[in-house]
Amino acid sequence: MRKLTKIVVLGVLFYSIIILILYLFQEKILFQPEALQDDYVFTFDHTFREFFLETDQGDCLNAIHFTNTNPKGVILYFHGNRGSLRRWGEIVLFFAKKKYDVIIMDYRGYGKSKGSITEKNLYHDAQLFYEYTSKMYPEDQITIYGRSIGTGIAAHVASKNQPCNLVLETPYYNIKDIVESWFPHIPTHLLLRYKIPSATFIQNVTCDITIYHGTNDGVVPYESGARLFKSIPISNKKMITIEEGSHNDLIEHDKYLNTIDSVLENSF
């Protein structure tokens, strides 16, 4: 009996520790920024310029604008939760070399961007960059592209504006969906300060929507992306499943490479 009581006590203690860690450190779990010195010099194998936008709170946000002569359009890209523009700039070169201009920002606290992340700030800052983009390009040339945690931000921006295209790579139904896949049997509805309800936002998106997701995604479960896709009310939607694709390697799969051009050209 004593042994059983000890096991129960240890189980309760372990469960409590997990809850405490999730509550206190959820920002560090969800957001893993790389800080860059203000004098860090970006070097990319493509024409680009670095720029900053100031928020209404006075925080300066760092961004890169890749440009082409006679671009096919522009991609406003919202990146994943880890790293900075040092890494993500290299990733979006894939699109710049396909003759799309690309605008990509670092969230507050990432890279050279200043300030602290909150869910409200994420949405506000994303809209700031959409407005910046739409001053230079007509909306019918703007593709919003989100990856991983950036998919919820991208869906929010698309729901508030009229871009021509929304592409979501490894998206989620909401943050609760992801965290529950990591920590099952935890009362996430009571603990999470970040909701990012992609499925709610996507109800108001009217442009074409494409979702890419891999079946072996160990970060954002494939089922979460499929659930999001199912919730989309419009008919001009497409889900492209990458068999055996994981969270960070979809670009290496033929199915992604063979479809991305038509997706970006908005050829449904």
Side-chain angles (χ1 to χ4, degrees):
M1 189 67 179
R2 287 183 179 180
K3 186 175 182 180
L4 178 60
T5 301
K6 186 177 181 180
I7 292 173
V8 171
V9 170
L10 288 174
V12 170
L13 180 61
F14 180 70
Y15 182 79
S16 300
I17 290 172
I18 291 177
I19 289 178
L20 185 63
I21 289 173
L22 179 59
Y23 181 75
L24 294 177
F25 300 104
Q26 58 188 269
E27 280 88 359
K28 293 185 181 298
I29 295 171
L30 292 174
F31 304 103
Q32 300 173 29
E34 173 193 42
L36 297 176
Q37 296 295 323
D38 290 344
D39 60 356
Y40 179 84
V41 178
F42 293 106
T43 56
F44 299 114
D45 184 22
H46 197 87
T47 304
F48 75 95
R49 71 178 185 88
E50 179 184 6
F51 68 99
F52 292 84
L53 294 184
E54 185 175 341
T55 72
D56 57 5
Q57 298 168 324
D59 293 317
C60 286
L61 304 177
N62 189 217
I64 299 292
H65 187 176
F66 293 95
T67 57
N68 289 277
T69 302
N70 299 319
K72 297 177 181 178
V74 62
I75 296 171
L76 178 59
Y77 191 103
F78 297 102
H79 67 62
N81 75 326
R82 182 178 297 179
S84 71
L85 289 179
R86 185 177 67 88
R87 172 195 177 204
W88 289 100
E90 294 290 346
I91 289 172
V92 301
L93 278 177
F94 173 82
F95 304 106
K97 291 183 176 181
K98 287 183 173 292
K99 303 301 181 183
Y100 288 91
D101 288 359
V102 183
I103 294 174
I104 178 170
M105 61 164 300
D106 256 340
Y107 312 124
R108 300 191 196 201
Y110 282 72
K112 302 181 188 180
S113 292
K114 308 304 180 185
S116 300
I117 286 181
T118 66
E119 188 167 346
K120 181 179 178 180
N121 286 345
L122 286 170
Y123 302 147
H124 177 276
D125 298 346
Q127 180 62 28
L128 180 66
F129 276 86
Y130 186 89
E131 291 170 3
Y132 171 87
T133 303
S134 63
K135 289 176 181 177
M136 292 180 288
Y137 304 86
E139 285 193 294
D140 63 5
Q141 292 183 17
I142 299 175
T143 290
I144 298 177
Y145 196 114
R147 179 161 165 182
S148 192
I149 203 160
T151 58
I153 302 165
H156 183 270
V157 176
S159 74
K160 300 295 184 182
N161 301 280
Q162 297 296 321
C164 71
N165 205 359
L166 174 64
V167 184
L168 304 176
E169 183 178 339
T170 64
Y172 45 89
Y173 190 83
N174 54 36
I175 289 294
K176 179 173 173 286
D177 226 27
I178 303 175
V179 176
E180 286 182 346
S181 74
W182 300 341
F183 304 103
H185 313 301
I186 296 293
T188 51
H189 62 289
L190 299 176
L191 299 174
L192 286 178
R193 294 191 292 276
Y194 291 85
K195 311 298 183 184
I196 315 188
S198 304
T200 300
F201 302 148
I202 217 159
Q203 303 307 304
N204 297 316
V205 176
T206 57
C207 66
D208 290 352
I209 303 170
T210 303
I211 287 177
Y212 281 99
H213 217 128
T215 57
N216 289 352
D217 194 322
V219 178
V220 179
Y222 174 81
E223 292 75 17
S224 189
R227 185 182 178 200
L228 176 67
F229 178 75
K230 187 176 180 180
S231 77
I232 300 171
I234 58 176
S235 60
N236 49 324
K237 63 178 182 177
K238 181 189 303 182
M239 181 160 185
I240 300 175
T241 297
I242 310 295
E243 297 294 338
E244 299 185 1
S246 61
H247 193 67
N248 294 311
D249 72 349
L250 300 192
I251 197 172
E252 300 171 14
H253 289 258
D254 288 343
K255 194 166 186 181
Y256 182 93
L257 296 172
N258 293 337
T259 57
I260 190 61
D261 288 334
S262 62
V263 166
L264 295 176
E265 290 165 7
N266 224 19
S267 303
F268 262 66

